[in-house]
Structures are given as structure tokens and as C-alpha cells.
Amino acid sequence: MRLTWLGHASFMLESEGYQLVLDPFADVPGLKNVHIEADQVLCSHNHYDHHYLKGVTVRSGGQCPFAVDTVATFHDEKMGALRGENTVHILCAEGLRVVHLGDLGHRLTEAQAAPLHHCDVLLLPVGGTYTIDSVLAAETVQQLQPRVVIPMHYRSEQFGFAKLGGVEPFIKMLQTWPVRRYEESTLTLTTEMTPQIALLKPLLNV
């Protein structure tokens, strides 16, 4: 399976020639709007930086190799009263389980966390303000015990909303985790991956 970070909270997963896009975005500083072809698109919620559906041309046909499951969560710590609901997506193919937390805004309950435990790859927001912050993101990693963590929805010097925090405070919270800083946007996922925090380059950098 191939995973590509488009930027912000958007990823493309590819398996058996089938391409699935998660949370396509528009108007994120420092990033080009998503403009891509794919076989399927899934969104965690309907905010413009996660639900830019016109940026994805969906092809017809093609047999989806992904088993998709969801967990209902919230975009904030007040059960959605501030920013609404959020859907966590669980995608399984090739013996791998990838979890995309979307704009998770609160600590997961044990019931919400149960189907996410020990996933192969966790796509995790770490920037705070609109989602969990670095402290709660680190707690979520300890709670779920994934094999590979890929931070998303944060700000760097090149991209991201001004109100978001950076990725480095999150990394400092998990000092026992090895960090791999990739110079590319795409990672090949296998059942032999070693535990790591994987930092990718956004494909849609301006």
C-alpha cells in the first residue's frame, strides 16, 4: 500500500491500482488546493479545509480493495457544541490497518478507542486550536499504541494556519519514539514497518 500526504489532513491511499483520498482541502496557507483524480473520497467533516469535494474528480468503476469502517467522535471537547461532529476512518487492505483521526477534538473514550488499538498507521492531528494539541495527541498515541504515527494538521514555516502549533512539541512528548524525517511525500506501507514517527513532506507545497 502507498500513502501520500497531500498536505494539512489530506492523504491518498493506493492499493491494487485503486486510489482513495481523505479530507481534500482548499485555502490552506502555503499549500495548493487539492486538484486530483481518484476512485473514492472520504471526509471526516464538512469544513472547507477537509471537504473540498470539487478538488477531486472521482472516476467511475474500479473494485475497492479497502474495507472501510468509522468511529463517531467530535470536533471539540464539548461533544460537538463548538464545531460539530467528526468521523474517524479505519481503512484496511493488504493486511494493514490505517486510521485517520480527522479533526479529533477530544480525548477518546475507551469505546471509541477499542477498534483503533494497535493499528499499523495512525494519521494524527497535533496542531491544537481546532483539534487535539500536542499533549493530548501524545496521550492518544499512548492510548492506541500504533506502529507508525504520521502527524498532520499542524503549522510549519512553509505552510499551515497561523493558529496551529508546530509538530516539534508533539515529538518532544514522545521522546522514546524514533523519528524519521522523509524528504518525500509518499511512504510505502508494509507489514514489516518499524515503529516510528514519520514526518512527510506535503505534496502540495506552494
Side-chain angles (χ1 to χ4, degrees), residues 79-100:
M79 299 185 69
L82 300 178
R83 289 183 286 273
E85 297 180 348
N86 175 72
T87 299
V88 171
H89 286 98
I90 307 165
L91 302 113
C92 301
E94 302 181 26
L96 296 165
R97 191 158 49 106
V98 178
V99 171
H100 184 278

Side-chain angles (χ1 to χ4, degrees), residues 3-6 11 182-187 200-204:
L3 176 147
T4 299
W5 188 31
L6 303 181
F11 293 82
Y182 294 87
E183 291 302 318
E184 56 270 357
S185 306
T186 297
L187 188 62
L200 302 178
K201 299 286 187 181
L203 181 68
L204 297 179

Side-chain angles (χ1 to χ4, degrees), residues 1 82 86 124-126 128 141 168 181 183 198 203:
M1 187 190 307
L82 300 178
N86 175 72
L124 174 73
V126 302
V141 170
E168 298 303 327
R181 300 175 187 268
E183 291 302 318
L203 181 68

Side-chain angles (χ1 to χ4, degrees), residues 34 40 49-50 91 107 121 132 171 202:
V34 170
Q40 187 176 354
D49 57 327
H50 295 259
L91 302 113
R107 181 176 284 102
V121 179
I132 56 176
I171 291 172

Side-chain angles (χ1 to χ4, degrees), residues 97 99 101 108 110 113-124 136-150 170 173-174 176-177 193-196:
R97 191 158 49 106
V99 171
L101 291 181
L108 292 166
E110 280 307 310
L116 314 179
H117 281 148
H118 302 293
C119 59
D120 294 286
V121 179
L122 181 66
L123 308 177
L124 174 73
L136 191 47
E139 290 181 15
T140 302
V141 170
Q142 301 292 7
Q143 180 185 26
L144 299 184
Q145 291 295 302
R147 190 191 314 188
V148 175
V149 176
I150 301 180
F170 165 71
M173 294 283 174
L174 295 172
T176 61
W177 277 70
M193 292 180 299
T194 58
Q196 62 185 275

Side-chain angles (χ1 to χ4, degrees), residues 13 48 65 95:
L13 289 175
Y48 70 93

Side-chain angles (χ1 to χ4, degrees), residues 4-12 21-25 28 31 34 42-45 49-50 86 100-104 123-125 131 150-154 159 161 164 202:
T4 299
W5 188 31
L6 303 181
H8 199 47
S10 185
F11 293 82
M12 175 182 281
V21 172
L22 292 154
D23 281 22
F25 61 83
V28 175
L31 298 173
V34 170
L42 298 172
C43 299
S44 60
H45 61 292
D49 57 327
H50 295 259
N86 175 72
H100 184 278
L101 291 181
D103 265 8
L104 180 69
L123 308 177
L124 174 73
T131 70
I150 301 180
M152 63 179 187
H153 209 281
Y154 60 86
F159 59 83
F161 292 110
L164 296 181

